[in-house]
Amino acid sequence: MQQWFKDAKLGIFIHWGIYSVYGIAESWSFYNGGISYGDYMKQCEGFTAKNYDPKAWAELYKKAGARYAVLTTKHHDGVALWDTKLNDLSVVHKTPAGRDLIKPWVEAVREQGLKVGLYFSHLDWSHPDYASIYREDERENLANLNRNRFTHPEGEEDFEAWERFLKFHRGQLKELMENFHPDLLWFDGDWEKSADEWRMKELREYLHSFNPNVVLNSRMWGYGDYKTPEQGIPIIRPEGPWEFCVTVNDSWGYQPDDKNYKSVRQIIRMFAECIGMGGNMLLDIGPMEDGSIDPEQEKRLLGLGEWIRRHDEAIYDTEAGLPPGHFYGPSTLSKDKKTLYLFCFDRPYDDVPLKGIRNRIKKITALGSGMELGYKKLGGAPWLNIPGILWIDVPEDAIDKDCTVIKIELDGEIDLYRESGQNIESN
């Protein structure tokens, strides 16, 4: 796992493809029968990318506070956004866009100093050789299998066809690695075949032959580098490196009827909870077919970025904060473990409590305004090294409208009281 990923905190996810023409669900709309495959693919005729400005996109990511971005190069529908030489199913050959959309995006993202991530679907519901074999557990239960023509073979299994598909799959990944040199590959669609059928161990080694430092997400049957919970924020901190991917409304791609947008404050809350548990947040937007970004989506990215700039000290170059029980909210800790940052989402009606800190306090400030805050410690038994509760006074003019961050400077590395309490027999 590369250190840049663990330090990144925020990435921007971009789902863009022909599905933005009708504003329908990417790939799943035809898989689940909401639209015929033929009508879905007719969207190629309306995908123009005429207002596509990758430099403006990359500037927006930067303003949002992101350190990396991930763009869909090919979703489950099989339509590539680059000029693949393995077939002609690409925006270059099948749409009025008529050009490679990945290369200028990669260049623009790197110009902004951000890391480049490329989304790639292992499965391909348009490829004639994909639905050629069953997964092992399906093979043992064919009588009860819920079949789908895009996934399961018609008639007998064709293992030669599967070998052809794997050659195609590896060939497209080779193009991405050699043409664009991504820092991260964000895979999807591994579940329809097993790790052995995908030859995932071999695939990991193959990708590392192009770049031993490329970061791989978890959609590789255990051969990836980090976990990717999506849409539902973890309640318990995942083990190891992780990233929470979430949409700005309810849809991954552009759907004009989806007005259920998360507010800037809600996005900030999710983000603070992610970094407080040591993870990243990958926030998804869906551009329109012409390459324009919906103003409502842009507004939320800019709002998040404004808040991050006021509090970047508490975000970058920090690690997961306090374990549960010490503070009623997320927190982060400086890498030298001498400064603690508390994230307060709501106006306090009383002082803000912090429990279990044994250190002497050097100074407490509201990070956004720089205002020094008063505090007092009540209770405890210092002669037994049992700390009292630290009560921090946060006046109205120190409160941030989106999320107040309290900076606590300690007299050394944080020293936490993590016991269940005891009788005090000597006072």
Side-chain angles (χ1 to χ4, degrees):
M1 171 51 65
Q2 298 297 300
Q3 189 63 42
W4 74 259
F5 179 84
K6 294 190 284 185
D7 291 339
K9 309 301 182 185
L10 179 66
I12 303 299
F13 209 176
I14 306 94
H15 274 67
W16 193 36
I18 64 168
Y19 38 87
S20 59
V21 174
Y22 293 166
I24 57 177
E26 59 290 333
S27 308
W28 292 101
S29 52
F30 72 79
Y31 182 88
N32 292 326
I35 187 174
S36 71
Y37 176 78
D39 285 343
Y40 178 94
M41 296 305 291
K42 283 181 181 177
Q43 292 180 101
C44 287
E45 299 170 6
F47 187 77
T48 66
K50 63 183 180 182
N51 294 320
Y52 176 42
D53 186 348
K55 290 190 175 183
W57 283 20
E59 289 170 1
L60 178 60
Y61 313 152
K62 184 79 169 183
K63 290 176 182 177
R67 295 290 177 88
Y68 65 109
V70 180
L71 176 63
T72 49
T73 65
K74 187 187 79 165
H75 206 266
H76 310 329
D77 57 19
V79 182
L81 266 65
W82 79 99
D83 189 12
T84 178
K85 306 304 181 186
L86 278 298
N87 65 11
D88 64 353
L89 188 52
S90 70
V91 297
V92 180
H93 299 286
K94 295 294 187 181
T95 78
R99 63 192 189 279
D100 176 359
L101 302 176
I102 301 298
K103 184 177 180 181
W105 182 85
V106 169
E107 292 173 349
V109 169
R110 290 212 161 104
E111 283 176 6
Q112 292 297 322
L114 309 182
K115 297 293 186 180
V116 169
L118 300 180
Y119 168 109
F120 180 83
S121 173
H122 290 299
L123 62 84
D124 188 325
W125 290 330
S126 288
H127 197 283
D129 291 326
Y130 176 70
S132 53
I133 63 172
Y134 299 108
R135 202 172 53 231
E136 290 94 338
D137 60 308
E138 293 176 334
R139 199 173 293 133
E140 297 169 0
N141 193 31
L142 291 180
N144 299 316
L145 187 62
N146 184 19
R147 295 175 180 271
N148 189 299
R149 70 183 182 91
F150 301 107
T151 302
H152 304 109
E154 297 179 0
E156 296 296 319
E157 292 182 86
D158 187 340
F159 291 95
E160 290 184 0
W162 180 246
E163 291 299 318
R164 290 195 300 269
F165 179 77
L166 284 182
K167 184 177 180 180
F168 165 79
H169 174 268
R170 267 44 170 193
Q172 286 200 320
L173 285 170
K174 180 180 180 181
E175 289 179 337
L176 294 180
M177 294 300 292
E178 291 186 336
N179 295 341
F180 310 120
H181 310 287
D183 302 293
L184 181 150
L185 284 173
W186 211 103
F187 287 116
D188 201 5
D190 60 338
W191 65 87
E192 288 192 340
K193 302 292 185 281
S194 70
D196 287 342
E197 288 169 332
W198 284 118
R199 299 170 196 165
M200 284 299 188
K201 184 176 184 296
E202 173 191 288
L203 176 59
R204 180 181 176 87
E205 294 169 354
Y206 180 66
L207 296 170
H208 282 164
S209 72
F210 296 101
N211 177 6
N213 296 321
V214 66
V215 176
L216 308 173
N217 81 333
S218 63
R219 315 291 170 94
M220 293 187 65
W221 283 101
Y223 290 97
D225 297 315
Y226 68 94
K227 297 179 176 66
T228 54
E230 63 181 73
Q231 296 293 54
I233 194 165
I235 304 301
I236 299 173
R237 178 183 177 181
E239 293 183 9
W242 64 280
E243 166 197 80
F244 172 55
C245 46
V246 61
T247 50
V248 73
N249 51 5
D250 289 334
S251 308
W252 295 102
Y254 176 67
Q255 296 194 32
D257 293 335
D258 183 0
K259 305 298 185 183
N260 195 27
Y261 282 100
K262 300 168 182 69
S263 69
V264 171
R265 292 192 79 246
Q266 288 169 334
I267 292 170
I268 290 170
R269 182 184 289 255
M270 290 188 301
F271 177 58
E273 289 173 348
C274 284
I275 64 175
M277 290 190 286
N280 294 346
M281 185 168 81
L282 186 63
L283 181 62
D284 177 78
I285 61 172
M288 304 177 200
E289 64 79 17
D290 68 354
S292 301
I293 294 177
D294 189 303
E296 288 296 320
Q297 300 189 13
E298 183 176 2
K299 176 181 176 182
R300 280 148 181 81
L301 265 60
L302 292 175
L304 173 61
E306 289 171 3
W307 178 83
I308 287 176
R309 279 190 293 279
R310 295 196 298 271
H311 304 95
D312 60 353
E313 178 187 329
I315 298 164
Y316 308 118
D317 298 320
T318 65
E319 55 189 41
L322 298 167
H326 290 273
F327 172 66
Y328 302 114
S331 61
T332 57
L333 188 64
S334 61
K335 287 190 175 181
D336 65 5
K337 304 185 188 305
K338 295 180 180 180
T339 306
L340 180 64
Y341 302 95
L342 309 180
F343 296 81
C344 304
F345 302 122
D346 304 308
R347 276 188 171 84
Y349 286 96
D350 203 341
D351 295 345
V352 173
L354 175 63
K355 297 181 286 184
I357 304 296
R358 286 172 163 152
N359 302 72
R360 183 179 67 81
I361 305 301
K362 294 171 64 177
K363 186 179 180 181
I364 301 181
T365 54
L367 188 58
S369 66
M371 180 182 297
E372 188 164 354
L373 305 180
Y375 61 92
K376 60 192 172 199
K377 187 175 283 191
L378 298 177
W383 59 94
L384 294 176
N385 214 13
I386 300 173
I389 298 176
L390 186 68
W391 294 91
I392 305 167
D393 178 30
V394 184
E396 186 72 21
D397 51 357
I399 293 174
D400 186 278
K401 65 182 180 65
D402 294 316
C403 173
T404 305
V405 181
I406 300 172
K407 175 182 178 180
I408 303 174
E409 299 174 61
L410 308 171
D411 67 346
E413 291 190 12
I414 192 167
D415 182 10
L416 288 180
Y417 176 74
R418 295 289 295 161
E419 299 176 31
S420 58
Q422 65 187 76
N423 294 335
I424 297 177
E425 298 174 350
S426 175
N427 283 292

